[in-house]
């Protein structure tokens, strides 16, 4: 994207979000104010989520739609799930996620933590064969988790904003998710779908926490 294109997208409008976590343009085909779909990729901590909330509160109009992760597709989120964002009450908030897959991820992580505990104990016994086997099991769980995090969950994200676009054609849609969800390298299909409308994808800087 050219420098001229970036200026039109509205980088100057992001100056309000100074601090450790700042937004930068990831991709897009229009400006922030023109976009019908606004992707907000964050790094899964309280400060980054607050940045997402500030952005939505600044740019959303009454009745605009916000879709958040770790909440079942189409369902209203519980208060504790969105507290860190501090969204304005003038937007409508729904989930986009596949909770069957999310729960699988939590199980993989719990199983992997148990394996790491076993490895830690075996170090004192110098059982190299058992440690090697457990490390293979941990690596397998990690690979299964990685496959789910983006590739298997993104179809639910895509279907969710497609549904919102159909149900609320005159409203803007704000998509909140971990920034990897909007990467063309992780999932080119989501970018192809976003390009069917006026969209902009912004991501926060800073170290990424899992999922």
């Amino acid at each position: 994207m050219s420098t001229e294109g970036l200026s039109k997208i509205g980088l100057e409008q992001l100056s309000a979000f100074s601090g450790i976590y700042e937004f930068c343009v990831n991709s897009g085909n229009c400006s922030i104010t023109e976009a019908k779909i606004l992707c907000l990729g964050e790094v899964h901590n309280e400060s980054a989520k607050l940045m997402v909330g500030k952005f939505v509160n600044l740019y959303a109009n009454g009745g605009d739609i916000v879709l958040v992760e770790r909440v079942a597709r189409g369902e209203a989120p519980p208060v504790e799930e969105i507290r860190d964002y501090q969204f304005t009450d003038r937007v409508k908030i729904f989930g986009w996620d596949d909770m069957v897959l999310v729960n699988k991820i939590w199980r993989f992580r719990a199983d992997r933590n148990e394996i790491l505990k076993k490895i830690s104990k075996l170090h004192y016994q110098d059982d190299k064969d058992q440690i090697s086997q457990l490390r293979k099991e941990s690596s397998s769980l990690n690979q299964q988790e990685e496959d789910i995090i983006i590739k298997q969950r993104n179809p639910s994200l895509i279907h969710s904003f497609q549904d919102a676009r159909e149900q609320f054609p005159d409203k803007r849609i704000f998509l909140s998710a971990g920034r990897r969800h909007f990467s063309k390298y992780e999932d080119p299909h989501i970018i192809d779908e976003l390009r069917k409308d006026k969209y902009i994808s912004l991501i926060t800087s800073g170290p990424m926490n899992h999922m």
Side-chain angles (χ1 to χ4, degrees):
M1 189 176 295
S2 68
T3 303
E4 181 183 5
L6 287 175
S7 66
K8 288 181 179 178
I9 277 174
L11 284 177
E12 71 284 350
Q13 298 176 58
L14 303 183
S15 60
F17 306 102
S18 60
I20 298 174
Y21 297 98
E22 297 182 334
F23 277 116
C24 59
V25 175
N26 180 40
S27 63
N29 56 17
C30 64
S31 70
I32 291 171
T33 52
E34 292 171 327
K36 292 286 290 182
I37 300 176
L38 299 95
C39 307
L40 304 173
E42 44 95 359
V43 292
H44 293 331
N45 62 38
E46 187 175 340
S47 297
K49 288 181 178 180
L50 183 58
M51 290 279 291
V52 170
K54 285 182 177 180
F55 185 94
V56 170
N57 296 347
L58 181 62
Y59 288 106
N61 300 313
D64 280 349
I65 308 303
V66 179
L67 302 178
V68 296
E69 65 182 315
R70 301 186 197 176
V71 177
R73 176 182 164 191
E75 293 189 6
V79 173
E80 61 271 17
E81 194 64 42
I82 58 171
R83 183 177 289 114
D84 290 343
Y85 296 98
Q86 298 184 24
F87 289 127
T88 174
D89 58 8
R90 67 176 181 272
V91 297
K92 296 178 180 179
I93 307 171
F94 303 98
W96 63 256
D97 225 328
D98 183 330
M99 294 308 294
V100 172
L101 295 177
V102 170
N103 288 330
K104 276 188 179 180
I105 291 171
W106 295 132
R107 286 198 300 273
F108 286 150
R109 290 181 182 177
D111 291 346
R112 199 164 67 247
N113 284 337
E114 288 302 312
I115 289 173
L116 293 176
K117 289 178 183 177
K118 291 179 182 178
I119 290 174
S120 180
K121 291 179 180 179
L122 288 168
H123 272 299
Y124 295 103
Q125 302 173 22
D126 198 28
D127 190 338
K128 294 181 181 179
D129 290 340
Q130 182 67 8
I131 289 172
S132 176
Q133 178 59 36
L134 288 171
R135 282 177 172 164
K136 289 179 182 177
E137 291 177 17
S138 177
S139 177
S140 174
L141 288 172
N142 186 65
Q143 185 56 52
Q144 291 177 72
E145 177 185 324
E146 278 296 305
D147 189 53
I148 289 174
I149 286 177
I150 307 298
K151 291 181 181 178
Q152 292 189 37
R153 286 168 69 216
N154 262 16
S156 185
L157 173 56
I158 292 171
H159 290 316
S160 292
F161 74 72
Q162 288 174 332
D163 291 345
R165 193 165 51 191
E166 184 175 326
Q167 294 174 34
F168 308 98
D170 59 334
K171 300 299 180 183
R172 305 179 89 192
I173 303 167
F174 295 80
L175 306 179
S176 176
R179 66 188 181 195
R180 290 176 59 194
H181 287 277
F182 304 120
S183 168
K184 65 181 179 181
Y185 303 106
E186 299 268 6
D187 182 12
H189 301 295
I190 193 168
I191 302 300
D192 291 340
E193 185 60 34
L194 288 166
R195 284 174 177 157
K196 296 178 181 178
D197 213 326
K198 289 184 176 180
Y199 90 98
I200 188 167
S201 174
L202 306 165
I203 57 174
T204 52
S205 61
M208 181 74 191
N209 290 340
H210 288 294
M211 210 174 83

